[in-house]
């Protein structure tokens, strides 16, 4: 990565910004006010109007229900710019606001009428006309709902006219006409009965008659509201393409207009520092100079290497170099997993390539079943085809490639599908095979493709699976240590790398050899002689040498961390454990479906299976295997990811870098014509 400085005249800064975006390679180094006595610039004058219009567009889109997922045709950039500059945003805003105001007004009136309707429904049970509830000087009228019947308590009032309609289940309504002097007493009595006052609607005549008129008004307003909503739906269909395209164009315009906030701008000129891939320096310089002529000067400053010593004398804001991912199409899909931890630093290995290989491999080893692998492959392929969301693409990627590995392991190594081996006899519950279940004999060439001609039994060859898991762990961890060595060597030198990581590699290999000797002694009862003795001596020497080297930098931790190496290796036995647990569940479910429900415990005879047992057995079998399949995604997926994050990446990955983000435009709702493309790549 190289650093350049671009200097130009302020009068042509707007054109220069367009040129910066067109080369799609400049990663701006943000200028800090006060540096070189030059301040950052201000947004371009057009930004204020663009921001105002963008705000209007987003408000209209929200009101009309036009969202990110609304499908619209792509609009030529020139056309949308012409529409925006001709005032289409303001015209559409007036049209939309008129329709929305009409709808909001109707909603407000309907709400008011519903409130009135509710009061009238309560007052309909009281034989008092609406005009009689008000207009008194010496009387107070109290009207409301009650939870308990207040008829008897209200008799305590000396002179009062009371009207009560009460239902034991629904409660009731009370209207009390009382002298002003007894208002408090009446209110107190009603409060004891759970009184809640209601407002009496204005009007004349009985409440029932008013209720009829109110219902008619409500029906009329609801019809008008329905018409208004259809009008808004028509506006959405009419303007959705413009709204989505103009939102994108205005957002781009604002982003470009904010570039001066990141660079140094004086009264007559601007200065921009930027990182750029080294191989593009000359091309970008030529492109900028050809477009801006003498009004721009591009100066090469440095090409930064990976060694940290190169940045010791560098100004603080130039020390961090952005990291540009250089992964292929497939590995790029696994950058998501790396970024969950952190962005790789410029001076360290990007773990994405290792994750690309090991994450699906370990996932496939734990699944190891053709029957479960095929849905993984189909689902993953479908997800990669249809989704652009990075979260879903990350999941689809693991399912697709993990499914391929699961199929390879399931066929060639384990020789099974849905928890049953392809080849073998039918002797449930421990021996259930597809040959036995279907009553067929698979050809020899078919069985010859599998390990041991029948595949490895997950619940029978436990020792083999545990050993294999440990061997995978040893290789995986050793790669992590070697990557750590390469990182330190890249950042400093060989000596530094040897002192910081070399000792751990020696210690790790020594510990692996020592563990090998101990397992031979404990499990195979092998004596310490011959080759085993040589291995033991070499292991001890390497351990002592490794600890001695590590002690200079790690001190006592060089010794305390020794058991941790064994723990890290044994952590990989989860590969065998998860595979065995899945196989155990699959075997039990197969026995329940075929043995217990269909009755094929000793002999397979499909003709003797009752129809109802056949249906129940097959449905239950499908459901139970779906459970195993789902658990496989969670357990195998999470543990495969954990082994990358916790066991592998901790050996070499630090992270904390910044992502290379050059100035460039991504268009989804607008499209450039050929002439425009020549100006904006």
């Amino acid at each position: 990565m190289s650093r350049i400085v671009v200097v130009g005249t302020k009068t042509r800064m707007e054109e220069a910004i367009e040129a910066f975006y067109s080369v799609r390679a400049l990663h701006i180094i943000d200028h800090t006010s006060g540096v070189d006595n030059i301040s950052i610039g201000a947004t371009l004058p057009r930004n204020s109007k663009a921001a105002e219009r963008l705000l209007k567009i987003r408000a209209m889109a929200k009101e009309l229900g036009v969202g990110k997922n609304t499908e619209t045709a792509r609009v030529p950039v020139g056309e949308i710019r012409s529409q925006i500059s001709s005032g289409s945003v303001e015209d559409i805003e007036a049209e939309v606001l008129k329709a929305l105001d009409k709808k909001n007004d109707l909603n407000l009136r309907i709400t008011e009428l519903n409130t009135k309707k509710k009061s009238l429904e309560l007052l309909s049970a009281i034989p008092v006309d609406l005009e009689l509830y008000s207009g008194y000087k010496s009387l107070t009228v109290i009207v409301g709902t009650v939870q308990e019947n207040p008829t008897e308590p209200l008799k305590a009032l000396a002179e009062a006219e009371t009207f009560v309609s009460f239902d034991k289940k629904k409660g009731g309504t009370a209207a009390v006409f009382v002298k002003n002097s007894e208002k408090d007493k009446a209110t107190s009595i009603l409060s004891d009965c759970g009184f809640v006052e209601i407002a009496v609607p204005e009007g004349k005549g009985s409440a029932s008659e008013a209720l009829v008129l109110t219902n008619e008004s409500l029906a009329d307003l609801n019809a008008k509201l329905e018409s208004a909503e259809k009008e808004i739906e028509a506006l959405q269909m009419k303007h959705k393409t413009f709204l989505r395209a103009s939102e994108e164009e205005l957002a781009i315009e604002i982003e470009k207009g904010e570039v001066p906030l990141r660079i140094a701008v004086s009264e007559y000129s601007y200065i921009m520092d930027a990182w750029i891939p080294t191989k593009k320096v000359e091309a970008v310089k030529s492109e900028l100079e050809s477009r801006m002529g003498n009004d721009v000067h591009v100066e090469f400053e440095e090409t930064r290497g990976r060694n940290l010593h190169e940045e010791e004398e560098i100004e603080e804001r130039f020390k961090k170099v952005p990291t540009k991912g250089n992964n292929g199409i497939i590995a790029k899909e696994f950058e998501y997993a790396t970024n969950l931890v952190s962005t790789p630093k410029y001076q360290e290995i990007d773990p994405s390539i290792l994750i690309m290989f090991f994450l699906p491999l370990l996932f496939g080893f734990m699944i190891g079943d053709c029957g479960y692998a095929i849905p993984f492959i189909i689902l993953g392929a479908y997800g990669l085809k249809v989704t652009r969301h990075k979260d879903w693409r990350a999941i689809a990627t693991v399912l697709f490639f993990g499914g391929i590995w699961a199929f390879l392991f399931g066929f060639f190594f384990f020789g099974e599908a849905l928890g049953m081996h392809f080849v073998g006899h039918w002797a449930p519950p421990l021996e259930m095979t597809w040959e036995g279940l279907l009553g067929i004999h698979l050809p020899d060439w078919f069985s010859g493709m599998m390990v041991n001609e029948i595949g490895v039994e997950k619940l029978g060859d436990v020792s083999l699976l545990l050993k294999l898991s440990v061997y995978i762990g040893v290789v995986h961890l050793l790669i992590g240590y070697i990557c750590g060595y390469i990182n330190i060597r890249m950042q400093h030198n060989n000596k530094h790398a040897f002192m910081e990581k070399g000792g751990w590699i020696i210690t790790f290999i020594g510990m692996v050899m020592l563990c090998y000797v101990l397992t031979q002694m404990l499990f195979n009862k092998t004596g310490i002689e011959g080759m085993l003795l040589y291995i033991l001596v070499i292991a001890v020497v390497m351990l002592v040498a490794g600890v001695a080297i590590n002690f200079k930098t790690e001190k006592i931790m060089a010794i305390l961390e020794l058991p941790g190496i064994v723990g890290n290796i044994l952590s990989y036995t989860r590969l065998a454990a998860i595979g065995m647990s899945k196989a155990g569940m699959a075997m039990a479910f197969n026995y329940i479906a075929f043995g217990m429900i269909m009755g094929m415990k000793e002999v397979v005879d499909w003709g003797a299976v009752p129809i109802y047992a056949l249906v129940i057995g097959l449905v239950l079998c499908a459901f139970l295997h779906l459970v195993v399949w789902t658990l496989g995604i969670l357990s195998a997926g999470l543990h495969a990811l954990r082994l990358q994050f916790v066991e592998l990446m901790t050996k070499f990955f630090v992270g904390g870098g910044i992502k290379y983000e050059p100035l460039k435009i991504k268009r989804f709702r607008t499209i450039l014509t050929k002439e425009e493309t020549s100006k904006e790549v």
Side-chain angles (χ1 to χ4, degrees):
M1 197 67 76
S2 296
R3 181 164 63 89
I4 62 172
V5 177
V6 182
V7 182
T9 55
K10 187 178 178 181
T11 53
R12 295 190 66 190
M13 186 167 63
E14 195 167 335
E15 293 175 61
I17 291 172
E18 294 291 340
F20 297 158
Y21 274 88
S22 71
V23 297
R24 300 166 67 91
L26 296 168
H27 176 104
I28 293 181
I29 302 170
D30 290 330
H31 181 75
T32 305
S33 289
V35 175
D36 299 330
N37 296 321
I38 304 177
S39 301
I40 60 172
T43 56
L44 296 180
R46 69 188 184 192
N47 260 38
S48 176
K49 187 64 177 176
E52 180 187 336
R53 283 174 166 162
L54 181 60
L55 190 62
K56 290 177 180 178
I57 289 289
R58 287 177 173 168
M60 284 190 283
K62 184 179 179 182
E63 291 292 345
L64 296 180
V66 179
K68 291 182 177 178
N69 297 323
T70 303
E71 290 294 331
T72 57
R74 300 182 74 179
V75 182
V77 173
E79 181 181 329
I80 198 67
R81 284 176 178 169
S82 173
Q83 291 179 359
I84 292 172
S85 59
S86 64
S88 292
V89 175
E90 288 73 17
D91 295 341
I92 294 174
E93 182 193 28
E95 191 178 0
V96 171
L97 286 180
K98 183 180 177 183
L100 290 174
D101 287 346
K102 182 179 176 182
K103 179 187 172 184
N104 292 336
D105 180 60
L106 288 169
N107 273 327
L108 180 63
R109 290 166 63 188
I110 288 172
T111 302
E112 291 173 349
L113 282 180
N114 277 325
T115 304
K116 182 179 179 182
K117 178 184 175 182
K118 189 175 180 181
S119 298
L120 291 172
E121 285 174 343
L122 293 170
L123 294 173
S124 296
I126 304 295
V128 178
D129 289 343
L130 294 175
E131 67 271 21
L132 299 178
Y133 285 102
S134 60
Y136 306 106
K137 292 184 178 177
S138 58
L139 291 178
T140 297
V141 182
I142 308 171
V143 185
T145 60
V146 289
Q147 297 295 324
E148 298 177 9
N149 193 340
T151 304
E152 289 300 323
L154 286 172
K155 288 179 181 178
L157 299 173
E159 292 184 45
E161 191 68 39
T162 61
F163 301 89
V164 177
S165 171
F166 189 78
D167 183 277
K168 288 185 178 179
K169 294 182 179 178
K170 300 179 181 177
T173 308
V176 180
F177 295 74
V178 65
K179 285 185 176 180
N180 291 339
S181 58
E182 290 197 285
K183 176 186 174 184
D184 293 341
K185 185 177 180 181
T187 303
S188 175
I189 293 171
L190 289 170
S191 296
D192 292 340
C193 296
F195 177 78
V196 177
E197 188 173 7
I198 61 173
V200 178
E202 295 181 355
K204 293 182 179 179
S206 68
S208 301
E209 294 171 350
L211 181 60
V212 172
L213 295 174
T214 303
N215 282 332
E216 291 175 355
S217 299
L218 269 175
D220 180 54
L221 290 178
N222 279 321
K224 290 180 179 176
L225 179 62
E226 187 177 348
S227 173
E229 287 175 343
K230 287 182 179 177
E231 186 180 342
I232 291 174
E233 287 179 9
L235 288 176
Q236 189 231 39
M237 296 301 296
K238 180 181 176 183
H239 298 305
K240 65 179 183 180
T241 301
F242 172 79
L243 292 176
R244 298 290 289 128
S246 57
E247 181 186 7
E248 180 176 280
E249 182 58 31
L250 288 169
I252 290 170
E253 191 174 333
I254 291 171
E255 181 186 318
K256 290 179 178 177
E258 289 175 346
V259 168
L261 295 174
R262 304 178 62 189
I263 64 178
V265 181
S266 66
E267 187 175 357
Y268 302 106
S269 62
Y270 64 84
I271 304 172
M272 182 180 75
D273 295 287
W275 291 108
I276 183 173
T278 302
K279 63 182 180 181
K280 291 187 176 181
V281 171
E282 289 303 321
V284 168
K285 183 178 178 182
S286 300
E287 175 68 17
L288 292 179
E289 289 176 347
S290 68
R291 294 185 64 159
M292 302 300 297
N294 293 328
D295 288 328
V296 71
H297 172 70
V298 181
E299 185 168 310
F300 170 78
E301 291 293 317
E302 62 166 324
T303 293
R304 183 68 58 84
R306 309 284 180 172
N307 198 303
L308 291 176
H309 297 291
E310 294 184 24
E311 62 184 42
E312 288 177 353
E313 304 297 329
I314 298 293
E315 190 179 331
E316 186 63 32
R317 67 193 182 106
F318 298 140
K319 283 189 175 180
K320 272 199 169 184
V321 183
T323 304
K324 180 179 182 296
N326 194 25
N327 299 311
I329 296 174
I330 298 176
K332 197 173 184 63
E333 299 288 351
F334 290 89
E335 289 179 359
Y336 179 86
T338 301
N339 291 328
L340 286 178
V341 180
S342 183
T343 301
K345 287 197 297 188
Y346 180 65
Q347 300 88 356
E348 67 181 354
I349 294 173
D350 185 346
S352 302
I353 294 177
L354 294 173
I355 294 175
M356 175 193 70
F357 181 72
F358 281 107
L359 180 60
L361 174 71
L362 301 185
F363 178 87
F365 182 78
M366 285 184 273
I367 297 296
D369 187 296
C370 295
Y372 301 135
I374 293 173
F376 284 139
I377 296 172
I378 295 173
L379 196 61
Y382 178 75
L384 288 172
K385 181 180 179 182
V386 300
T387 185
R388 291 290 175 268
H389 194 283
K390 60 181 181 179
D391 295 350
W392 290 112
R393 282 194 70 81
I395 295 172
T397 302
V398 175
L399 290 182
F400 180 71
F401 291 102
I404 292 174
W405 278 110
F407 185 87
L408 295 175
F409 278 117
F411 186 84
F412 295 106
F413 189 70
F414 294 111
E416 67 175 37
L418 299 180
M420 289 192 291
H421 283 280
F422 294 111
V423 181
H425 301 292
W426 180 264
L430 297 180
E431 289 188 41
M432 300 175 73
T433 66
W434 288 101
E435 272 191 341
L437 182 66
L438 302 176
I440 59 175
H441 177 70
L442 295 169
D444 292 341
W445 62 264
F446 184 85
S447 57
M449 290 191 293
M450 293 176 280
V451 175
N452 297 332
E453 297 188 342
I454 60 170
V456 173
E457 293 185 20
K458 290 177 182 172
L459 299 177
D461 298 321
V462 177
S463 174
L464 172 64
L465 291 180
L466 287 174
K467 287 179 182 175
L468 193 55
S469 299
V470 168
Y471 296 153
I472 292 173
V474 169
V475 174
H476 201 218
L477 290 170
L478 186 58
I479 289 174
Y481 282 116
I482 292 173
C483 288
Y485 182 93
I486 295 172
N487 276 346
I488 302 300
R489 179 177 175 274
M490 183 163 52
Q491 294 164 5
H492 300 282
N493 51 46
N494 260 325
K495 181 182 177 183
H496 200 115
F498 183 77
M499 296 305 294
E500 191 167 330
K501 292 293 181 180
W504 283 113
I505 294 176
I506 295 171
T507 304
F508 178 77
I509 296 173
M511 182 60 77
V512 170
M513 296 173 72
L514 177 63
C515 290
Y516 173 76
V517 172
L518 292 176
T519 53
Q520 292 298 313
M521 291 172 58
L522 293 173
F523 300 115
N524 296 337
K525 308 299 182 186
T526 306
I528 303 295
E529 57 186 5
M531 181 60 70
L532 206 59
L533 179 60
Y534 295 139
I535 295 175
L536 177 61
V537 171
I538 295 172
V540 172
V541 170
M542 293 185 77
L543 274 174
V544 172
V547 169
I549 296 170
N550 293 335
F551 201 83
K552 292 185 177 179
T553 54
E554 304 286 343
K555 303 304 178 186
I556 192 64
M557 293 304 295
I559 300 173
L560 297 178
E561 284 291 329
L562 290 178
I565 295 175
V566 180
N568 289 340
I569 296 172
L570 293 180
S571 177
Y572 287 80
T573 55
R574 73 186 66 227
L575 299 174
I578 291 172
M580 290 163 57
S581 64
K582 183 191 66 60
M585 285 194 293
M587 184 185 72
F589 293 159
N590 286 332
Y591 182 68
I592 291 172
F594 298 109
M596 298 177 69
I597 296 179
M598 298 187 195
M600 297 188 289
K601 293 183 179 178
E602 296 179 356
V603 179
V604 176
D605 185 359
W606 290 96
V609 179
I611 295 298
Y612 74 88
L614 182 67
V615 173
I616 294 174
L618 291 177
V619 171
L620 187 63
C621 181
F623 172 74
L624 293 175
H625 279 294
L626 180 63
V627 172
V628 179
W629 185 80
T630 307
L631 290 175
I633 295 177
L634 297 175
S635 58
L638 289 176
H639 284 285
L641 202 57
R642 181 198 180 280
L643 290 174
Q644 312 308 312
F645 288 164
V646 179
E647 308 299 350
L648 176 69
M649 290 170 65
T650 53
K651 303 295 179 292
F652 71 96
F653 185 68
V654 177
I658 53 176
K659 190 176 179 181
Y660 171 67
E661 293 180 329
L663 298 175
K664 63 180 180 180
I665 297 301
K666 291 182 179 178
R667 295 185 178 275
F668 302 98
R669 303 294 176 184
T670 55
I671 187 169
L672 293 165
T673 61
K674 287 184 178 179
E675 292 180 356
E676 292 165 338
T677 305
S678 63
K679 297 177 182 176
E680 182 182 334
V681 181

